[in-house]
Amino acid sequence: MSKMINEFIRDLYKTNEFIPLHAPTFDSTEKAFLLDTIDSTFVSSVGKYVDEFEKRVANYTGATRAVATTNGTAALHTSLHLADIKAGDLVITQALTFVATCNALFHLGAEPVFVDVSANTLGLCPNAVDDFLEQHAVLSEQGCIHQKSGRRIKAALPVHTFGHPVELDALISVCEKWGITLIEDAAESLGSFYKGQHTGTFGLFGAISFNGNKIITTGGGGMVLCNDAALGDRIKHITTTAKVPHPYEFYHDEAGFNYRMPNLNAALGCAQIEKLDTFIKSKRELAANYKAFFDNSIFRFVDEPAHATSNFWLNAVLCPDQETRDKVLAETNGDGVMTRPVWRLMHRLPMYENALRGSLPNAEYFEAHLINLPSSPVSV
């Protein structure tokens, strides 16, 4: 079967060369914008492309405000900080995620609480969250409190895994029931919609990544989305070292972050976002081809949830068992077709092995059975 998979993927990409998991796509537009930035000499954190990129992302997503940052982790760290996540707080999230989700909590002195993902979305399961809270939490004047430790459960942090939106209506209801803040890790889901509304615009904040392997890239970069203009101003202020505007004086009114996206990176983003709809069209066609190929096979293609329109950032299939998964991974990569397993679950990493967690049957199943397939846009 691995040979057939390799042949199919090589036919899709029309090459016998190495096929990466997800590569960026550039043309003359990126070069022109970058050269314009270099010629202007404004290559760092001041320049027209930063403001323009923020406006374009806000317009595309429907967010009231979008603020550019150096990377997705910085966007998430800022979001959590402004959501009043403090040292000792607990945040419900998923063990099936990239490590940056938990690292942003770590740097605030907060800790993750791992709850299972949905079998339909691969993202945080509302029922699992509610069940965990019913068993282990209580509402008090101080908020949602973990009974055994007495610590505050401050927020829920779902990840729209591989671009597939989580069940947001149900998750919002659970958050409202328990008085916890919803913050979206939308790093992978630019161009994904839940019931017609863009991911990252449902919670207090949403964090996007523009890493080199994302659907559009700024090389390194991120963005915080929010639907409150005053909060947007606050994000901009604290991510630009909390400097008070002045023609020449340096005055900072609080301890801020140096998370400013350079103009050079934003120029790349402005060129890339012009092609976002084209990329998504290509990636959805690629997903349809994968789905048809794996239909009636021993593999199950991971499709978008019924409530969602996904960007299909990374395509994935589920193998019948871990032995098959390991064989396919070895043989595809051995033939120069890059595939990969899902991330190792966060509670299996040394820095998060003692984190509180519920039962994780779905996350553990995906860890043992899932393979990501090459997902770069085709024929763009």
Side-chain angles (χ1 to χ4, degrees):
M1 188 63 185
S2 299
K3 183 178 181 181
M4 292 177 63
I5 293 172
N6 284 344
E7 290 174 352
F8 177 73
I9 293 172
R10 291 202 175 282
D11 185 58
L12 282 174
Y13 285 96
K14 298 178 175 57
T15 181
N16 288 319
E17 302 298 321
F18 172 75
I19 298 176
L21 193 69
H22 197 292
T25 301
F26 304 127
D27 61 23
S28 59
T29 309
E30 284 83 0
K31 294 178 182 179
F33 284 15
L34 289 171
L35 285 173
D36 180 56
T37 309
I38 292 169
D39 289 342
S40 76
T41 73
F42 289 98
V43 297
S44 191
S45 55
V46 176
K48 65 180 182 180
Y49 285 109
V50 176
D51 291 340
E52 181 63 23
F53 188 44
E54 290 177 337
K55 289 176 184 176
R56 292 191 185 191
V57 172
N59 288 338
Y60 185 90
T61 61
T64 300
R65 191 71 186 276
V67 179
T69 60
T70 50
N71 51 54
T73 305
L76 193 54
H77 181 226
T78 303
S79 299
L80 293 162
H81 174 76
L82 292 181
D84 196 36
I85 306 300
K86 299 183 182 301
D89 285 344
L90 301 175
V91 174
I92 292 177
T93 191
Q94 53 200 73
L96 186 83
T97 185
F98 181 59
V99 71
T101 305
C102 296
N103 286 348
L105 293 170
F106 176 86
H107 292 303
L108 288 165
E111 293 184 19
V113 177
F114 297 123
V115 174
D116 206 13
V117 295
S118 165
N120 296 321
T121 69
L122 282 71
L124 195 62
C125 176
N127 291 335
V129 173
D130 194 38
D131 289 346
F132 180 89
L133 293 173
E134 288 284 358
Q135 294 176 42
H136 301 286
V138 63
L139 278 172
S140 74
E141 292 181 357
Q142 288 74 42
C144 182
I145 303 298
H146 181 254
Q147 289 179 297
K148 188 173 182 179
S149 67
R151 297 166 69 183
R152 181 177 62 167
I153 301 176
K154 180 65 177 179
L157 181 58
V159 181
H160 302 297
T161 310
F162 306 144
H164 300 307
V166 302
E167 299 161 278
L168 282 157
D169 283 347
L171 195 55
I172 289 168
S173 294
V174 173
C175 288
E176 290 175 348
K177 172 183 173 180
W178 289 94
I180 59 180
T181 303
L182 177 66
I183 300 164
E184 296 173 74
D185 186 338
E188 304 165 9
S189 64
L190 180 64
S192 296
F193 295 81
Y194 175 84
K195 296 183 178 179
Q197 183 176 334
H198 198 282
T199 53
T201 64
F202 289 82
L204 182 63
F205 300 108
I208 296 175
S209 171
F210 303 112
N211 188 39
N213 66 348
K214 296 301 188 291
I215 190 164
I216 67 169
T217 184
T218 57
M223 194 81 74
V224 181
L225 305 180
C226 74
N227 287 321
D228 183 294
L231 269 179
D233 291 341
R234 181 98 174 87
I235 298 165
K236 189 69 172 179
H237 181 63
I238 203 165
T239 55
T240 53
T241 68
K243 183 178 184 297
V244 177
H246 190 278
Y248 52 85
E249 290 284 356
F250 287 90
Y251 179 72
H252 307 258
D253 59 4
E254 63 179 308
F257 306 132
N258 188 6
Y259 283 167
R260 300 170 291 183
M261 176 183 283
N263 198 41
L264 202 62
N265 297 85
L268 194 62
C270 286
Q272 285 271 287
I273 200 166
E274 291 182 358
K275 305 164 188 172
L276 178 55
D277 286 338
T278 302
F279 289 163
I280 291 173
K281 181 176 183 294
S282 173
K283 289 170 72 62
R284 289 182 63 82
E285 290 173 355
L286 177 64
N289 283 323
Y290 276 133
K291 182 179 179 181
F293 175 76
F294 287 106
D295 192 30
N296 297 319
S297 74
I298 61 172
F299 302 91
R300 179 165 69 86
F301 179 73
V302 178
D303 207 350
E304 65 188 356
H307 57 252
T309 304
S310 175
N311 67 6
F312 284 100
W313 171 56
L314 287 184
N315 289 285
V317 291
L318 297 172
C319 301
D321 50 59
Q322 187 167 351
E323 182 181 357
T324 303
R325 186 206 71 162
D326 293 346
K327 182 178 181 182
V328 172
L329 285 169
E331 293 180 357
T332 50
N333 283 282
D335 191 46
V337 175
M338 187 177 179
T339 60
R340 73 171 192 197
V342 74
W343 313 282
R344 184 170 299 189
L345 297 184
M346 292 298 100
H347 67 283
R348 304 198 198 283
L349 302 181
M351 57 282 200
Y352 302 118
E353 63 184 0
N354 295 320
L356 296 169
R357 64 179 184 270
S359 60
L360 306 171
N362 290 333
E364 290 168 353
Y365 179 86
F366 291 133
E367 182 186 39
H369 292 78
L370 189 143
I371 291 177
N372 285 126
L373 304 165
S375 299
S376 306
V378 179
S379 303
V380 173

